[in-house]
Amino acid sequence: MRYLWEVLLAAEEEGISEKKLRFVHAPSGSGYMELSLPCLNQTWLDEDEQDISIGVNTYYRFYDIFHEMFPPDQTDFLALRESLTNLILHMLAQNDIRRGLTREDYHKRLLAKEILAGGFGETARDVLLSMNRADREKLLGGWLNSFRAGSALPVFLDMVHGLVADSIVYHNNEYPDEILIYTGLKRERKLEQRIRFLIDTFLDIRYHVEIFYEYHFGIIGVDETMQIDGIAIC
């Protein structure tokens, strides 16, 4: 990490609240880097029970803002200057992130905020919280597509393939309302919750879905699926 915005992204990736980050002026920080971290190429945050202190060379990019706040002989109002520095750097970091956002990114952020506030139910909130940053982006993008196109099978297929590892979706041509989902992962609560959430969110109620975990169902003529003690029965 070298810049403020990278700290916010790292905190989000590690599930750390931005409120726990405290940016402080680093008078002896490197003149060639914005952040003053314990490790030169650090890509993680050292979390503890208290605030996470992040040293910042405030003169690196923001000299015009901070050059009068930390004169070498100034000892008055230290706590106030530290609080203002933390507040200003949080605002500047957020500005860095927003600078590269598209309209789609803004819509994703608004949707995520609504989900985390419980607007779509506890299951949606739990599923979103269980995802890493990349999976969240896939889910939010698919959800926005479903708002535009309505409930659509292609959107559902993209969501399953993108968010359920080692998965295959079968659509029965003879019975178009029947869908079979297979994943090589073992059945456990969070995985089952995620798949059920995708079904409820992206599929019409008319579809009947069967889910198979770990063991693939047997298909006559496909030797890989016809393994003794290693197949599920439809």
Side-chain angles (χ1 to χ4, degrees):
M1 293 182 288
R2 293 188 58 187
Y3 298 99
L4 289 174
W5 58 270
E6 292 181 284
V7 175
L8 297 192
L9 294 182
E12 184 177 348
E13 185 71 23
E14 296 177 33
I16 299 172
S17 171
E18 186 181 344
K19 295 179 180 179
K20 294 194 66 175
L21 302 178
R22 186 166 183 82
F23 295 112
V24 298
H25 172 71
S28 59
S30 170
Y32 301 95
M33 297 184 66
E34 185 162 283
L35 300 182
S36 179
L37 300 173
C39 299
L40 183 64
N41 296 319
Q42 186 169 326
T43 59
W44 69 94
L45 296 173
D46 293 322
E47 184 177 11
D48 54 30
E49 296 180 358
Q50 305 300 321
D51 292 342
I52 302 173
S53 181
I54 306 294
V56 180
N57 177 3
T58 55
Y59 300 154
Y60 185 80
R61 282 194 296 157
F62 311 115
Y63 178 81
D64 291 342
I65 299 175
F66 292 101
H67 72 281
E68 293 184 353
M69 288 186 64
F70 297 99
D73 56 348
Q74 180 61 263
T75 59
D76 296 333
F77 309 111
L78 179 61
L80 175 60
R81 284 186 281 126
E82 289 180 349
S83 295
L84 286 174
T85 298
N86 179 53
L87 175 61
I88 293 170
L89 289 174
H90 271 281
M91 295 175 63
L92 292 171
Q94 286 291 347
N95 287 341
D96 276 347
I97 290 179
R98 292 192 179 97
R99 187 173 298 171
L101 291 180
T102 64
R103 179 181 295 182
E104 180 89 354
D105 294 324
Y106 276 108
H107 289 167
K108 286 180 180 179
R109 288 199 165 202
L110 291 174
L111 177 58
K113 184 177 180 180
E114 182 69 16
I115 294 170
L116 294 176
F120 291 88
E122 287 300 315
T123 298
R125 182 177 183 275
D126 291 344
V127 169
L128 189 68
L129 288 174
S130 71
M131 291 180 171
N132 57 34
R133 181 180 179 83
D135 285 350
R136 283 191 180 193
E137 289 295 311
K138 292 176 185 176
L139 174 62
L140 295 172
W143 212 331
L144 291 176
N145 286 337
S146 72
F147 289 156
R148 302 184 188 104
S151 180
L153 184 59
V155 177
F156 172 73
L157 297 178
D158 287 342
M159 291 295 95
V160 174
H161 291 149
L163 298 174
V164 182
D166 193 16
S167 62
I168 304 173
V169 180
Y170 296 91
H171 189 205
N172 195 325
N173 291 330
E174 294 185 4
Y175 304 97
D177 293 343
E178 183 177 78
I179 295 175
L180 306 179
I181 299 175
Y182 162 76
T183 173
L185 302 178
K186 292 184 178 181
R187 184 173 185 173
E188 50 92 18
R189 189 187 68 82
K190 286 188 176 181
L191 176 61
E192 185 175 14
Q193 183 186 51
R194 178 177 295 198
I195 296 175
R196 288 295 178 187
F197 165 75
L198 296 178
I199 293 170
D200 294 340
T201 303
F202 296 104
L203 273 186
D204 287 334
I205 195 172
R206 64 186 176 91
Y207 286 102
H208 174 72
V209 182
E210 293 285 347
I211 307 171
F212 297 85
Y213 299 91
E214 191 173 3
Y215 299 110
H216 198 288
F217 50 85
I219 301 176
I220 297 176
V222 181
D223 293 341
E224 290 81 0
T225 67
M226 302 294 287
Q227 303 292 328
I228 297 176
D229 294 330
I231 63 173
I233 305 298
C234 293

